[in-house]
């Protein structure tokens, strides 16, 4: 929640101050507009490249402070390798890398959106702008003194020089909606758990009425009436009441079945009576990253007026151990009527999703449901922080998610489901138990969820490794990643808009 840098587009012209970023390929060639500006510097760049060993490799940079012949504070030559080999997703990344080179003292910067072959297309220039935005996000709401940040000036202004300014601005409008959705998701995940508990999360979701979403909030009483005892059981050890939020965007054909997104929103996960060890427990403030993604996504769809009917459902609870907390051994009856034996109160996310998925399926009869959840430590053991785990009962949906994952660089890796795994969660005393043992822990968690989706095409994304605390990337410096907003927005845009 920092002041956003100002981003604008303008035609190519030699900047009169600040930082100039230009792109070079691995033969150290520049585009014509860039050459025209750099002409005044003679052989300066060639000599600097020689002495620094700069070869124009993708992601590397050559920086020249106060180049004598130009009125600039700094000239940054950013390598793009072999431009013909770049994938669409690389432009966002390049924008992020460029933003990382602007410097904390920089008030004004210009990025020449041009490769040796000539100007970038409007979509590519706008992607560079998206990368700048994503990289510039900071969460500094709770800092009372401004921290010196070597790569970022919150009051900075960045101009993207481009050929077709009007077309680039138009392309950038959609991306601004995406960047704002990602920032919202990151804000929600970064917020501390004493501030962001279920009611407060719901209050923020209600704020999205201003972008045109229909938002309903169900309190504990309403959920009790619906029989959502799996979700409510998780919340019963907390001073904070549970909430279920339903967000709707109707930009599609009237009456057409919606696409549905369902998020795990555990605003803090102590583990409950099966309490977690102290080390890194503070990270469990991010156990609502699935719900944050759904919220950011719904804002994005509304802000860019997506031509689709979409619903976002988030189950909000705090998992705490008090005298009223759920016990191992308890049996709860879910909204579906199926009974669950609680083995481990730390396997709470699936209990929340069981009722949220069933409710979404019954009420909205969606075309598909995609749930997002920081569900298991086991998925981090399997896939690390690069890929989210994907489980699906529908090959078309799974293939689409894989493709869009590669295109947006929010990657998913499909994991198996099957009756052999499903057997592991059968219970002696109830219909199922909430854990299936240590082995294949991400899979048995997904099997559990599958028991609540019926025949609805469904995908489950386990984002425990990607939602927060993943390594800093070219497009994110924050603890929270906002993972999934770009993936799911692009999925909708590519396949589900009328
Ligand atoms: N929220 C955790 C999973 C998690 C762990 C997310 C680390 C992000 C980082 C989840 O509620 C949990 O505690 N899962 C248990 C399940 C087990 C008790 C079957 C786990 O993964 O250990
Ligand atoms: Mn847990
Ligand atoms: Zn959890």
């Amino acid at each position: 929640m920092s002041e956003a840098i100002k981003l604008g587009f303008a035609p190519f012209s030699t900047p009169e101050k600040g930082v100039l970023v230009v792109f070079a390929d691995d033969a150290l060639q520049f585009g014509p507009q860039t050459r025209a500006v750099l002409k005044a510097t003679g052989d300066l760049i060639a000599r600097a490249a020689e002495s620094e060993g700069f070869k124009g490799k993708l992601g590397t940079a050559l920086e020249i402070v106060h180049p004598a012949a130009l009125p600039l504070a700094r000239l940054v030559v950013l390598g793009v390798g072999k431009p013909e080999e770049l994938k669409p997703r690389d432009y966002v990344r390049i924008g992020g890398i460029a933003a990382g080179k602007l410097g904390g003292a920089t008030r004004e910067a210009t990025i020449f959106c041009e490769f040796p072959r000539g100007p970038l297309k409007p979509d590519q220039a706008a992607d560079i702008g998206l990368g700048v935005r994503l990289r510039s996000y900071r969460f500094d709401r709770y800092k009372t003194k401004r921290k010196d940040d070597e790569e970022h000036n919150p009051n900075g202004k960045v101009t993207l020089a481009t050929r077709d300014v009007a077309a680039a601005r138009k392309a950038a409008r959609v991306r601004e909606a995406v960047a704002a959705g990602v920032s919202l998701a990151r804000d929600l995940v970064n917020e501390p758990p004493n501030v962001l508990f279920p009611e407060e999360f719901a209050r923020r979701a209600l704020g999205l009425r201003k972008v045109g979403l229909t938002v309903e909030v169900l309190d504990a009483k309403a959920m009790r009436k619906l029989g959502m005892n799996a979700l409510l059981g998780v919340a019963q050890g907390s001073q904070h009441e549970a909430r279920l939020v339903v967000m709707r965007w109707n930009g599609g054909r009237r009456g057409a079945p919606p696409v549905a997104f369902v998020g795990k929103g555990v605003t803090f996960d102590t583990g409950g009576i099966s309490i977690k060890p102290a080390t890194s427990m503070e990270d469990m403030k991010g156990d609502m990253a699935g719900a944050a993604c759904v919220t950011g996504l719904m804002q994005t769809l509304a802000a860019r007026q997506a031509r689709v009917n979409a619903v976002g459902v988030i189950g909000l609870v705090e998992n705490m151990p008090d005298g009223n907390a759920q016990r191992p051994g308890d049996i709860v009856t879910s909204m579906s009527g199926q009974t669950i034996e609680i083995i481990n109160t730390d396997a709470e996310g699936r209990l929340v999703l069981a009722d949220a998925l069933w409710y979404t399926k019954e009420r909205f009869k969606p075309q598909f449901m995609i749930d997002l959840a920081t569900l298991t430590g086991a998925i981090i053991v399997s896939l690390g922080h690069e890929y989210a785990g994907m489980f699906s009962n529908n090959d078309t949906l799974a293939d689409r998610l894989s493709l869009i994952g590669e295109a947006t660089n929010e990657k998913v890796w499909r994991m198996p489901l099957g009756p052999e795994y499903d057997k592991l969660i059968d219970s002696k005393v109830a219909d199922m138990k909430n854990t299936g043992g240590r082995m294949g822990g991400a899979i048995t968690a997904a099997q559990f969820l599958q028991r609540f989706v019926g025949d609805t095409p469904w995908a489950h994304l386990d984002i425990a490794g990607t939602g927060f605390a993943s390594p800093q990337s070219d497009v994110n410096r924050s603890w929270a990643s906002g993972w999934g907003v770009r993936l799911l927005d692009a999925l909708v845009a590519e396949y589900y808009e009328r």
Side-chain angles (χ1 to χ4, degrees):
M1 244 311 173
S2 63
E3 314 107 85
I5 52 150
K6 285 165 230 37
L7 198 67
F9 292 86
F12 290 102
S13 76
T14 306
E16 271 146 37
K17 57 183 165 190
V19 175
L20 172 63
V21 180
V22 299
F23 299 114
D25 66 10
D26 61 1
L28 295 191
Q29 297 298 302
F30 298 99
Q33 303 284 343
T34 310
R35 279 203 304 275
V37 172
L38 297 185
K39 202 160 163 225
T41 65
D43 65 353
L44 173 69
I45 289 168
R47 283 191 295 127
E50 170 78 35
S51 68
E52 293 291 295
F54 175 73
K55 301 238 159 48
K57 250 184 62 196
L58 180 60
T60 63
L62 177 70
E63 301 192 39
I64 298 165
V65 179
H66 287 299
L70 292 169
L72 301 172
R74 204 151 37 91
L75 173 65
V76 180
V77 180
L78 203 64
V80 294
K82 296 193 190 338
E84 65 279 6
E85 288 176 7
L86 292 176
K87 303 229 163 57
R89 64 167 182 244
D90 291 323
Y91 294 86
V92 179
R93 214 191 122 204
I94 288 169
I97 296 168
K101 299 288 176 198
L102 297 184
T106 303
R107 292 194 177 286
E108 276 185 44
T110 307
I111 301 176
F112 263 37
C113 294
E114 178 191 58
F115 286 174
R117 269 194 199 167
L120 298 184
K121 298 197 185 87
D123 273 335
Q124 296 167 334
D127 273 348
I128 300 252
L130 173 59
V132 171
R133 271 259 182 277
L134 294 173
R135 173 68 170 250
S136 305
Y137 171 90
R138 296 291 184 280
F139 184 74
D140 47 18
R141 177 180 283 181
Y142 298 97
K143 290 202 170 287
T144 61
K145 300 186 196 72
R146 176 143 340 269
K147 193 175 135 220
D148 280 338
D149 183 332
E150 59 188 28
E151 67 166 53
H152 171 71
N153 175 0
N155 302 313
K157 180 172 167 236
V158 178
T159 303
L160 301 170
T162 172
R163 184 164 58 186
D164 191 344
V165 173
R169 277 193 188 134
K170 181 155 179 275
R173 268 205 295 279
V174 172
R175 287 160 181 81
E176 285 292 330
V178 174
V182 174
S183 294
L184 171 60
R186 287 177 183 174
D187 280 347
L188 291 166
V189 175
N190 280 321
E191 281 286 7
N194 59 331
V195 171
L196 195 82
F197 41 86
E199 272 183 283
E200 172 61 15
F201 196 140
R203 198 186 63 78
R204 294 196 189 187
L206 280 169
L208 299 185
R209 283 177 174 163
K210 70 171 188 297
V211 294
L213 291 178
T214 308
V215 186
E216 290 162 69
V217 177
L218 277 62
D219 61 11
K221 193 170 153 215
M223 284 188 270
R224 208 162 295 124
K225 223 164 139 187
L226 288 164
M228 295 188 167
N229 300 308
L231 184 153
L232 289 169
V234 177
Q236 78 190 27
S238 169
Q239 296 293 307
H240 294 296
E241 235 193 50
R243 292 287 183 271
L244 188 93
V245 178
V246 180
M247 295 166 270
R248 277 183 292 167
W249 169 249
N250 291 317
R253 252 188 297 279
R254 206 195 168 91
V259 297
F261 303 95
V262 180
K264 169 180 173 181
V266 178
T267 61
F268 194 72
D269 180 13
T270 64
I273 295 300
S274 316
I275 199 161
K276 289 179 180 295
T279 307
S280 300
M281 203 205 271
E282 69 279 10
D283 278 5
M284 286 300 111
K285 74 171 185 176
D287 209 17
M288 29 55 72
C293 172
V294 170
T295 307
L297 172 69
M298 292 304 292
Q299 176 183 284
T300 296
L301 294 177
R304 71 171 183 77
Q305 303 273 304
R307 294 160 72 82
V308 69
N309 297 335
V311 302
V313 175
I314 55 178
L316 302 170
V317 300
E318 186 184 48
N319 188 20
M320 295 288 268
D322 81 355
N324 193 44
Q326 170 156 278
R327 292 154 290 257
D330 284 3
I331 296 177
V332 295
T333 303
S334 66
M335 183 185 174
S336 73
Q338 300 176 91
T339 57
I340 305 162
E341 180 191 10
I342 308 299
I343 301 296
N344 188 321
T345 63
D346 197 11
E348 84 297 341
R350 63 199 75 180
L351 299 169
V352 172
L353 288 174
D355 282 338
L357 284 165
W358 186 265
Y359 175 82
T360 304
K361 161 178 92 72
E362 290 290 289
R363 177 168 171 195
F364 296 107
K365 314 240 173 326
Q367 295 181 53
F368 68 70
M369 296 196 285
I370 297 176
D371 78 74
L372 297 104
T374 47
L375 203 64
T376 67
I379 202 67
I380 314 178
V381 176
S382 305
L383 298 174
H385 298 282
E386 286 308 310
Y387 282 76
M390 170 175 65
F391 300 82
S392 182
N393 61 3
N394 185 284
D395 292 344
T396 306
L397 183 58
D399 291 346
R400 288 175 174 182
L401 279 164
S402 293
L403 276 172
I404 300 290
E406 296 302 323
T408 56
N409 214 25
E410 291 191 328
K411 301 190 291 291
V412 297
W413 194 260
R414 192 169 183 184
M415 303 277 289
L417 290 165
E420 303 81 359
Y421 294 111
D422 193 60
K423 273 207 295 256
L424 299 175
I425 54 168
D426 286 338
S427 158
K428 286 206 173 68
V429 289
D431 296 333
M432 69 194 89
K433 50 187 182 181
N434 80 328
T435 61
R438 251 171 58 75
M439 299 301 154
I443 306 174
T444 49
Q447 290 295 158
F448 183 98
L449 299 181
Q450 190 173 16
R451 294 190 181 200
F452 298 88
V453 302
D455 298 329
T456 311
W458 156 77
H460 156 56
L461 303 178
D462 193 335
I463 61 170
T466 54
F468 56 78
S470 32
Q472 301 219 315
S473 79
D474 293 324
V475 295
N476 183 35
R477 295 284 122 169
S478 151
W479 181 75
S481 63
W483 193 97
V485 174
R486 289 195 293 132
L487 171 76
L488 298 176
D489 175 69
L491 178 83
V492 169
E494 182 70 26
Y495 297 107
Y496 297 99
E497 292 194 50
R498 70 184 152 94

